Amino acid sequence: MTDYVSTMQGQNDLPEEQQKKVGKAQAAKMGDEHEVFMKTILRMLDEKAIDVTKPETFLKMEVYNRLDDAWKGKVDLAIVNIADLLSHIVEFRLSKQTPDESPELQSMIEHLWQMKQRIEETHDVFKF
């Protein structure tokens, strides 16, 4: 069986231009569900219904206020992570340097969806 070192010894470095191309996000159609979710988030940001610098704006406060302390702690931790990921998603989508649809963006949206769903399996606490 070949080990990693011997496998890599036969590899040549990529020229700098190819390295730059490999490091860029590639355009590719996203799934409809991901695109709809992305548009919902962008619309809510444009309407100032949510603000990535104020994670508490993601919450339905009437639901959040009824949670016990353990669930509030879980939600509080989740919204910090969601806010961070959401800011990256928005920055990626609005950047002129990246495509509007790509596997990278779809992956970030999927990760955001999963974080949100872990909480919402039990409590429908998020606005989006």
mmCIF file of all heavy atoms in Angstrom, residues 69-112:
data_model
loop_
_atom_site.group_PDB
_atom_site.id
_atom_site.type_symbol
_atom_site.label_atom_id
_atom_site.label_comp_id
_atom_site.label_asym_id
_atom_site.label_seq_id
_atom_site.Cartn_x
_atom_site.Cartn_y
_atom_site.Cartn_z
ATOM 1 N N ASP A 69 -34.517 28.028 30.706
ATOM 2 C CA ASP A 69 -33.141 28.536 30.682
ATOM 3 C C ASP A 69 -32.206 27.675 29.829
ATOM 4 O O ASP A 69 -31.325 28.202 29.145
ATOM 5 C CB ASP A 69 -32.589 28.661 32.101
ATOM 6 C CG ASP A 69 -33.222 29.814 32.870
ATOM 7 O OD1 ASP A 69 -33.815 30.715 32.230
ATOM 8 O OD2 ASP A 69 -33.124 29.813 34.117
ATOM 9 N N ALA A 70 -32.387 26.367 29.859
ATOM 10 C CA ALA A 70 -31.526 25.473 29.069
ATOM 11 C C ALA A 70 -31.678 25.755 27.578
ATOM 12 O O ALA A 70 -30.688 25.851 26.850
ATOM 13 C CB ALA A 70 -31.859 24.020 29.382
ATOM 14 N N TRP A 71 -32.933 25.899 27.120
ATOM 15 C CA TRP A 71 -33.158 26.175 25.701
ATOM 16 C C TRP A 71 -32.718 27.585 25.325
ATOM 17 O O TRP A 71 -32.210 27.803 24.232
ATOM 18 C CB TRP A 71 -34.625 25.934 25.325
ATOM 19 C CG TRP A 71 -34.833 24.505 24.926
ATOM 20 C CD1 TRP A 71 -35.413 23.523 25.662
ATOM 21 C CD2 TRP A 71 -34.388 23.899 23.716
ATOM 22 N NE1 TRP A 71 -35.365 22.340 24.975
ATOM 23 C CE2 TRP A 71 -34.750 22.536 23.772
ATOM 24 C CE3 TRP A 71 -33.733 24.368 22.586
ATOM 25 C CZ2 TRP A 71 -34.469 21.638 22.752
ATOM 26 C CZ3 TRP A 71 -33.452 23.467 21.562
ATOM 27 C CH2 TRP A 71 -33.818 22.127 21.648
ATOM 28 N N LYS A 72 -32.908 28.540 26.220
ATOM 29 C CA LYS A 72 -32.415 29.889 25.935
ATOM 30 C C LYS A 72 -30.902 29.873 25.738
ATOM 31 O O LYS A 72 -30.378 30.545 24.846
ATOM 32 C CB LYS A 72 -32.800 30.859 27.055
ATOM 33 C CG LYS A 72 -34.237 31.311 26.990
ATOM 34 C CD LYS A 72 -34.552 32.324 28.075
ATOM 35 C CE LYS A 72 -36.012 32.751 27.976
ATOM 36 N NZ LYS A 72 -36.392 33.679 29.043
ATOM 37 N N GLY A 73 -30.209 29.101 26.547
ATOM 38 C CA GLY A 73 -28.757 28.982 26.404
ATOM 39 C C GLY A 73 -28.369 28.392 25.052
ATOM 40 O O GLY A 73 -27.431 28.870 24.402
ATOM 41 N N LYS A 74 -29.091 27.360 24.628
ATOM 42 C CA LYS A 74 -28.822 26.746 23.322
ATOM 43 C C LYS A 74 -29.077 27.735 22.190
ATOM 44 O O LYS A 74 -28.289 27.831 21.240
ATOM 45 C CB LYS A 74 -29.690 25.503 23.127
ATOM 46 C CG LYS A 74 -29.313 24.357 24.027
ATOM 47 C CD LYS A 74 -30.269 23.190 23.854
ATOM 48 C CE LYS A 74 -29.960 22.086 24.837
ATOM 49 N NZ LYS A 74 -30.849 20.936 24.683
ATOM 50 N N VAL A 75 -30.175 28.458 22.286
ATOM 51 C CA VAL A 75 -30.512 29.434 21.254
ATOM 52 C C VAL A 75 -29.495 30.575 21.246
ATOM 53 O O VAL A 75 -29.042 31.007 20.172
ATOM 54 C CB VAL A 75 -31.950 29.976 21.437
ATOM 55 C CG1 VAL A 75 -32.226 31.141 20.507
ATOM 56 C CG2 VAL A 75 -32.967 28.859 21.218
ATOM 57 N N ASP A 76 -29.111 31.052 22.420
ATOM 58 C CA ASP A 76 -28.129 32.134 22.506
ATOM 59 C C ASP A 76 -26.813 31.742 21.843
ATOM 60 O O ASP A 76 -26.199 32.549 21.132
ATOM 61 C CB ASP A 76 -27.882 32.533 23.964
ATOM 62 C CG ASP A 76 -29.078 33.211 24.610
ATOM 63 O OD1 ASP A 76 -30.008 33.625 23.880
ATOM 64 O OD2 ASP A 76 -29.092 33.315 25.851
ATOM 65 N N LEU A 77 -26.375 30.524 22.058
ATOM 66 C CA LEU A 77 -25.149 30.040 21.427
ATOM 67 C C LEU A 77 -25.337 29.910 19.920
ATOM 68 O O LEU A 77 -24.464 30.312 19.137
ATOM 69 C CB LEU A 77 -24.737 28.699 22.037
ATOM 70 C CG LEU A 77 -23.459 28.080 21.499
ATOM 71 C CD1 LEU A 77 -22.266 28.996 21.730
ATOM 72 C CD2 LEU A 77 -23.220 26.721 22.150
ATOM 73 N N ALA A 78 -26.459 29.380 19.520
ATOM 74 C CA ALA A 78 -26.726 29.177 18.089
ATOM 75 C C ALA A 78 -26.787 30.494 17.325
ATOM 76 O O ALA A 78 -26.242 30.586 16.221
ATOM 77 C CB ALA A 78 -28.028 28.396 17.898
ATOM 78 N N ILE A 79 -27.412 31.524 17.899
ATOM 79 C CA ILE A 79 -27.565 32.765 17.125
ATOM 80 C C ILE A 79 -26.232 33.465 16.891
ATOM 81 O O ILE A 79 -26.067 34.141 15.876
ATOM 82 C CB ILE A 79 -28.615 33.736 17.707
ATOM 83 C CG1 ILE A 79 -28.246 34.244 19.087
ATOM 84 C CG2 ILE A 79 -29.994 33.134 17.655
ATOM 85 C CD1 ILE A 79 -29.166 35.331 19.616
ATOM 86 N N VAL A 80 -25.272 33.289 17.796
ATOM 87 C CA VAL A 80 -23.947 33.870 17.573
ATOM 88 C C VAL A 80 -23.294 33.198 16.365
ATOM 89 O O VAL A 80 -22.751 33.870 15.479
ATOM 90 C CB VAL A 80 -23.059 33.722 18.829
ATOM 91 C CG1 VAL A 80 -21.627 34.131 18.543
ATOM 92 C CG2 VAL A 80 -23.630 34.533 19.981
ATOM 93 N N ASN A 81 -23.379 31.876 16.312
ATOM 94 C CA ASN A 81 -22.813 31.138 15.175
ATOM 95 C C ASN A 81 -23.575 31.418 13.886
ATOM 96 O O ASN A 81 -22.978 31.544 12.817
ATOM 97 C CB ASN A 81 -22.788 29.638 15.479
ATOM 98 C CG ASN A 81 -21.831 29.308 16.593
ATOM 99 O OD1 ASN A 81 -20.757 29.883 16.705
ATOM 100 N ND2 ASN A 81 -22.222 28.373 17.446
ATOM 101 N N ILE A 82 -24.888 31.510 13.988
ATOM 102 C CA ILE A 82 -25.712 31.812 12.813
ATOM 103 C C ILE A 82 -25.383 33.205 12.284
ATOM 104 O O ILE A 82 -25.260 33.405 11.075
ATOM 105 C CB ILE A 82 -27.212 31.653 13.139
ATOM 106 C CG1 ILE A 82 -27.548 30.160 13.293
ATOM 107 C CG2 ILE A 82 -28.094 32.316 12.093
ATOM 108 C CD1 ILE A 82 -28.943 29.875 13.815
ATOM 109 N N ALA A 83 -25.223 34.175 13.177
ATOM 110 C CA ALA A 83 -24.893 35.540 12.757
ATOM 111 C C ALA A 83 -23.562 35.577 12.018
ATOM 112 O O ALA A 83 -23.432 36.239 10.981
ATOM 113 C CB ALA A 83 -24.855 36.477 13.958
ATOM 114 N N ASP A 84 -22.581 34.845 12.528
ATOM 115 C CA ASP A 84 -21.268 34.807 11.882
ATOM 116 C C ASP A 84 -21.368 34.187 10.494
ATOM 117 O O ASP A 84 -20.880 34.755 9.515
ATOM 118 C CB ASP A 84 -20.282 34.031 12.755
ATOM 119 C CG ASP A 84 -18.888 34.013 12.172
ATOM 120 O OD1 ASP A 84 -18.341 35.108 11.904
ATOM 121 O OD2 ASP A 84 -18.332 32.907 11.983
ATOM 122 N N LEU A 85 -22.015 33.045 10.399
ATOM 123 C CA LEU A 85 -22.160 32.379 9.107
ATOM 124 C C LEU A 85 -23.004 33.215 8.151
ATOM 125 O O LEU A 85 -22.685 33.344 6.975
ATOM 126 C CB LEU A 85 -22.771 30.992 9.288
ATOM 127 C CG LEU A 85 -22.926 30.158 8.020
ATOM 128 C CD1 LEU A 85 -21.609 29.994 7.283
ATOM 129 C CD2 LEU A 85 -23.532 28.808 8.364
ATOM 130 N N LEU A 86 -24.060 33.812 8.656
ATOM 131 C CA LEU A 86 -24.920 34.646 7.822
ATOM 132 C C LEU A 86 -24.164 35.837 7.254
ATOM 133 O O LEU A 86 -24.330 36.196 6.090
ATOM 134 C CB LEU A 86 -26.137 35.112 8.623
ATOM 135 C CG LEU A 86 -27.245 35.818 7.863
ATOM 136 C CD1 LEU A 86 -27.724 35.000 6.683
ATOM 137 C CD2 LEU A 86 -28.395 36.121 8.796
ATOM 138 N N SER A 87 -23.287 36.438 8.038
ATOM 139 C CA SER A 87 -22.498 37.566 7.524
ATOM 140 C C SER A 87 -21.570 37.099 6.405
ATOM 141 O O SER A 87 -21.394 37.806 5.411
ATOM 142 C CB SER A 87 -21.719 38.254 8.641
ATOM 143 O OG SER A 87 -20.720 37.416 9.160
ATOM 144 N N HIS A 88 -21.002 35.894 6.524
ATOM 145 C CA HIS A 88 -20.156 35.357 5.455
ATOM 146 C C HIS A 88 -20.980 35.077 4.189
ATOM 147 O O HIS A 88 -20.528 35.355 3.075
ATOM 148 C CB HIS A 88 -19.458 34.072 5.908
ATOM 149 C CG HIS A 88 -18.401 34.288 6.927
ATOM 150 N ND1 HIS A 88 -17.247 35.006 6.690
ATOM 151 C CD2 HIS A 88 -18.318 33.887 8.213
ATOM 152 C CE1 HIS A 88 -16.499 35.022 7.766
ATOM 153 N NE2 HIS A 88 -17.139 34.368 8.726
ATOM 154 N N ILE A 89 -22.165 34.523 4.369
ATOM 155 C CA ILE A 89 -23.036 34.223 3.223
ATOM 156 C C ILE A 89 -23.398 35.502 2.486
ATOM 157 O O ILE A 89 -23.304 35.580 1.259
ATOM 158 C CB ILE A 89 -24.307 33.479 3.690
ATOM 159 C CG1 ILE A 89 -23.949 32.067 4.140
ATOM 160 C CG2 ILE A 89 -25.365 33.458 2.595
ATOM 161 C CD1 ILE A 89 -25.089 31.332 4.842
ATOM 162 N N VAL A 90 -23.813 36.516 3.230
ATOM 163 C CA VAL A 90 -24.221 37.783 2.612
ATOM 164 C C VAL A 90 -23.036 38.434 1.910
ATOM 165 O O VAL A 90 -23.153 38.897 0.774
ATOM 166 C CB VAL A 90 -24.845 38.725 3.664
ATOM 167 C CG1 VAL A 90 -25.063 40.113 3.102
ATOM 168 C CG2 VAL A 90 -26.159 38.141 4.171
ATOM 169 N N GLU A 91 -21.887 38.432 2.567
ATOM 170 C CA GLU A 91 -20.689 39.010 1.960
ATOM 171 C C GLU A 91 -20.332 38.276 0.670
ATOM 172 O O GLU A 91 -20.011 38.901 -0.339
ATOM 173 C CB GLU A 91 -19.529 38.910 2.959
ATOM 174 C CG GLU A 91 -18.276 39.620 2.531
ATOM 175 C CD GLU A 91 -17.213 39.557 3.616
ATOM 176 O OE1 GLU A 91 -17.523 39.872 4.783
ATOM 177 O OE2 GLU A 91 -16.077 39.163 3.282
ATOM 178 N N PHE A 92 -20.400 36.958 0.685
ATOM 179 C CA PHE A 92 -20.107 36.144 -0.494
ATOM 180 C C PHE A 92 -21.081 36.469 -1.615
ATOM 181 O O PHE A 92 -20.691 36.694 -2.754
ATOM 182 C CB PHE A 92 -20.192 34.656 -0.125
ATOM 183 C CG PHE A 92 -19.735 33.720 -1.205
ATOM 184 C CD1 PHE A 92 -18.452 33.200 -1.181
ATOM 185 C CD2 PHE A 92 -20.589 33.337 -2.226
ATOM 186 C CE1 PHE A 92 -18.023 32.320 -2.170
ATOM 187 C CE2 PHE A 92 -20.184 32.460 -3.216
ATOM 188 C CZ PHE A 92 -18.885 31.947 -3.190
ATOM 189 N N ARG A 93 -22.361 36.518 -1.277
ATOM 190 C CA ARG A 93 -23.402 36.739 -2.302
ATOM 191 C C ARG A 93 -23.332 38.137 -2.897
ATOM 192 O O ARG A 93 -23.526 38.323 -4.093
ATOM 193 C CB ARG A 93 -24.778 36.499 -1.691
ATOM 194 C CG ARG A 93 -25.955 36.752 -2.622
ATOM 195 C CD ARG A 93 -25.970 35.773 -3.796
ATOM 196 N NE ARG A 93 -27.036 36.030 -4.711
ATOM 197 C CZ ARG A 93 -28.126 35.300 -4.830
ATOM 198 N NH1 ARG A 93 -28.286 34.239 -4.076
ATOM 199 N NH2 ARG A 93 -29.053 35.608 -5.693
ATOM 200 N N LEU A 94 -23.044 39.139 -2.088
ATOM 201 C CA LEU A 94 -23.035 40.514 -2.569
ATOM 202 C C LEU A 94 -21.712 40.924 -3.222
ATOM 203 O O LEU A 94 -21.663 41.931 -3.923
ATOM 204 C CB LEU A 94 -23.371 41.469 -1.429
ATOM 205 C CG LEU A 94 -24.764 41.279 -0.805
ATOM 206 C CD1 LEU A 94 -24.983 42.271 0.323
ATOM 207 C CD2 LEU A 94 -25.860 41.384 -1.849
ATOM 208 N N SER A 95 -20.675 40.134 -3.017
ATOM 209 C CA SER A 95 -19.366 40.456 -3.583
ATOM 210 C C SER A 95 -19.392 40.349 -5.108
ATOM 211 O O SER A 95 -19.994 39.434 -5.670
ATOM 212 C CB SER A 95 -18.315 39.501 -3.030
ATOM 213 O OG SER A 95 -17.085 39.683 -3.711
ATOM 214 N N LYS A 96 -18.716 41.268 -5.748
ATOM 215 C CA LYS A 96 -18.582 41.224 -7.209
ATOM 216 C C LYS A 96 -17.470 40.252 -7.610
ATOM 217 O O LYS A 96 -17.297 39.957 -8.785
ATOM 218 C CB LYS A 96 -18.271 42.622 -7.762
ATOM 219 C CG LYS A 96 -19.350 43.644 -7.455
ATOM 220 C CD LYS A 96 -20.671 43.258 -8.061
ATOM 221 C CE LYS A 96 -21.722 44.302 -7.751
ATOM 222 N NZ LYS A 96 -23.057 43.777 -7.738
ATOM 223 N N GLN A 97 -16.711 39.754 -6.629
ATOM 224 C CA GLN A 97 -15.606 38.838 -6.889
ATOM 225 C C GLN A 97 -16.042 37.366 -6.887
ATOM 226 O O GLN A 97 -15.253 36.489 -7.221
ATOM 227 C CB GLN A 97 -14.507 39.027 -5.830
ATOM 228 C CG GLN A 97 -13.998 40.440 -5.704
ATOM 229 C CD GLN A 97 -13.360 40.947 -6.983
ATOM 230 O OE1 GLN A 97 -12.602 40.233 -7.620
ATOM 231 N NE2 GLN A 97 -13.682 42.167 -7.368
ATOM 232 N N THR A 98 -17.269 37.109 -6.475
ATOM 233 C CA THR A 98 -17.756 35.732 -6.391
ATOM 234 C C THR A 98 -19.068 35.598 -7.169
ATOM 235 O O THR A 98 -19.820 36.560 -7.307
ATOM 236 C CB THR A 98 -18.005 35.331 -4.921
ATOM 237 O OG1 THR A 98 -18.942 36.243 -4.339
ATOM 238 C CG2 THR A 98 -16.720 35.330 -4.121
ATOM 239 N N PRO A 99 -19.343 34.397 -7.662
ATOM 240 C CA PRO A 99 -20.600 34.188 -8.403
ATOM 241 C C PRO A 99 -21.808 34.213 -7.460
ATOM 242 O O PRO A 99 -21.689 33.917 -6.275
ATOM 243 C CB PRO A 99 -20.414 32.802 -9.029
ATOM 244 C CG PRO A 99 -19.394 32.125 -8.185
ATOM 245 C CD PRO A 99 -18.510 33.195 -7.628
ATOM 246 N N ASP A 100 -22.961 34.575 -8.008
ATOM 247 C CA ASP A 100 -24.195 34.603 -7.212
ATOM 248 C C ASP A 100 -24.668 33.204 -6.831
ATOM 249 O O ASP A 100 -25.384 33.035 -5.848
ATOM 250 C CB ASP A 100 -25.312 35.321 -7.971
ATOM 251 C CG ASP A 100 -25.131 36.821 -7.972
ATOM 252 O OD1 ASP A 100 -24.271 37.323 -7.218
ATOM 253 O OD2 ASP A 100 -25.844 37.497 -8.725
ATOM 254 N N GLU A 101 -24.299 32.219 -7.619
ATOM 255 C CA GLU A 101 -24.655 30.836 -7.319
ATOM 256 C C GLU A 101 -23.400 29.990 -7.455
ATOM 257 O O GLU A 101 -22.698 30.081 -8.457
ATOM 258 C CB GLU A 101 -25.725 30.320 -8.281
ATOM 259 C CG GLU A 101 -27.065 31.009 -8.135
ATOM 260 C CD GLU A 101 -28.105 30.377 -9.030
ATOM 261 O OE1 GLU A 101 -28.745 29.407 -8.586
ATOM 262 O OE2 GLU A 101 -28.264 30.859 -10.158
ATOM 263 N N SER A 102 -23.128 29.187 -6.443
ATOM 264 C CA SER A 102 -21.941 28.335 -6.472
ATOM 265 C C SER A 102 -22.087 27.218 -5.452
ATOM 266 O O SER A 102 -22.872 27.337 -4.503
ATOM 267 C CB SER A 102 -20.685 29.149 -6.168
ATOM 268 O OG SER A 102 -20.658 29.504 -4.805
ATOM 269 N N PRO A 103 -21.314 26.152 -5.618
ATOM 270 C CA PRO A 103 -21.345 25.074 -4.618
ATOM 271 C C PRO A 103 -20.898 25.566 -3.244
ATOM 272 O O PRO A 103 -21.419 25.111 -2.227
ATOM 273 C CB PRO A 103 -20.363 24.035 -5.177
ATOM 274 C CG PRO A 103 -20.299 24.316 -6.638
ATOM 275 C CD PRO A 103 -20.503 25.793 -6.782
ATOM 276 N N GLU A 104 -19.955 26.502 -3.211
ATOM 277 C CA GLU A 104 -19.478 27.035 -1.935
ATOM 278 C C GLU A 104 -20.600 27.763 -1.198
ATOM 279 O O GLU A 104 -20.801 27.566 -0.002
ATOM 280 C CB GLU A 104 -18.292 27.987 -2.147
ATOM 281 C CG GLU A 104 -17.048 27.327 -2.682
ATOM 282 C CD GLU A 104 -17.006 27.192 -4.204
ATOM 283 O OE1 GLU A 104 -17.965 27.590 -4.894
ATOM 284 O OE2 GLU A 104 -16.011 26.671 -4.711
ATOM 285 N N LEU A 105 -21.331 28.593 -1.909
ATOM 286 C CA LEU A 105 -22.441 29.325 -1.313
ATOM 287 C C LEU A 105 -23.544 28.363 -0.872
ATOM 288 O O LEU A 105 -24.096 28.487 0.221
ATOM 289 C CB LEU A 105 -22.987 30.375 -2.278
ATOM 290 C CG LEU A 105 -24.119 31.248 -1.759
ATOM 291 C CD1 LEU A 105 -23.701 32.006 -0.502
ATOM 292 C CD2 LEU A 105 -24.567 32.231 -2.837
ATOM 293 N N GLN A 106 -23.838 27.385 -1.712
ATOM 294 C CA GLN A 106 -24.862 26.398 -1.359
ATOM 295 C C GLN A 106 -24.463 25.646 -0.099
ATOM 296 O O GLN A 106 -25.302 25.390 0.776
ATOM 297 C CB GLN A 106 -25.090 25.422 -2.510
ATOM 298 C CG GLN A 106 -26.179 24.407 -2.193
ATOM 299 C CD GLN A 106 -26.649 23.642 -3.399
ATOM 300 O OE1 GLN A 106 -26.691 24.167 -4.498
ATOM 301 N NE2 GLN A 106 -27.019 22.397 -3.194
ATOM 302 N N SER A 107 -23.201 25.327 0.039
ATOM 303 C CA SER A 107 -22.720 24.631 1.226
ATOM 304 C C SER A 107 -22.890 25.488 2.488
ATOM 305 O O SER A 107 -23.317 24.992 3.534
ATOM 306 C CB SER A 107 -21.247 24.245 1.040
ATOM 307 O OG SER A 107 -20.749 23.616 2.181
ATOM 308 N N MET A 108 -22.576 26.777 2.390
ATOM 309 C CA MET A 108 -22.757 27.668 3.539
ATOM 310 C C MET A 108 -24.223 27.790 3.907
ATOM 311 O O MET A 108 -24.585 27.780 5.099
ATOM 312 C CB MET A 108 -22.158 29.048 3.247
ATOM 313 C CG MET A 108 -20.657 29.076 3.248
ATOM 314 S SD MET A 108 -19.979 30.759 3.159
ATOM 315 C CE MET A 108 -20.266 31.186 1.444
ATOM 316 N N ILE A 109 -25.084 27.902 2.899
ATOM 317 C CA ILE A 109 -26.523 28.000 3.154
ATOM 318 C C ILE A 109 -27.030 26.709 3.799
ATOM 319 O O ILE A 109 -27.826 26.749 4.744
ATOM 320 C CB ILE A 109 -27.287 28.321 1.852
ATOM 321 C CG1 ILE A 109 -26.934 29.732 1.378
ATOM 322 C CG2 ILE A 109 -28.796 28.173 2.050
ATOM 323 C CD1 ILE A 109 -27.403 30.047 -0.024
ATOM 324 N N GLU A 110 -26.567 25.579 3.324
ATOM 325 C CA GLU A 110 -26.965 24.294 3.907
ATOM 326 C C GLU A 110 -26.531 24.209 5.364
ATOM 327 O O GLU A 110 -27.289 23.742 6.221
ATOM 328 C CB GLU A 110 -26.357 23.141 3.101
ATOM 329 C CG GLU A 110 -26.771 21.779 3.580
ATOM 330 C CD GLU A 110 -28.253 21.493 3.381
ATOM 331 O OE1 GLU A 110 -28.882 22.030 2.453
ATOM 332 O OE2 GLU A 110 -28.792 20.715 4.203
ATOM 333 N N HIS A 111 -25.334 24.663 5.659
ATOM 334 C CA HIS A 111 -24.838 24.647 7.041
ATOM 335 C C HIS A 111 -25.708 25.557 7.927
ATOM 336 O O HIS A 111 -26.067 25.178 9.046
ATOM 337 C CB HIS A 111 -23.373 25.084 7.086
ATOM 338 C CG HIS A 111 -22.743 24.950 8.412
ATOM 339 N ND1 HIS A 111 -22.277 23.757 8.910
ATOM 340 C CD2 HIS A 111 -22.517 25.866 9.385
ATOM 341 C CE1 HIS A 111 -21.789 23.944 10.110
ATOM 342 N NE2 HIS A 111 -21.925 25.215 10.432
ATOM 343 N N LEU A 112 -26.047 26.734 7.424
ATOM 344 C CA LEU A 112 -26.931 27.650 8.150
ATOM 345 C C LEU A 112 -28.280 26.985 8.407
ATOM 346 O O LEU A 112 -28.809 27.037 9.519
ATOM 347 C CB LEU A 112 -27.118 28.950 7.360
ATOM 348 C CG LEU A 112 -28.126 29.946 7.911
ATOM 349 C CD1 LEU A 112 -27.667 30.496 9.254
ATOM 350 C CD2 LEU A 112 -28.331 31.087 6.924
#
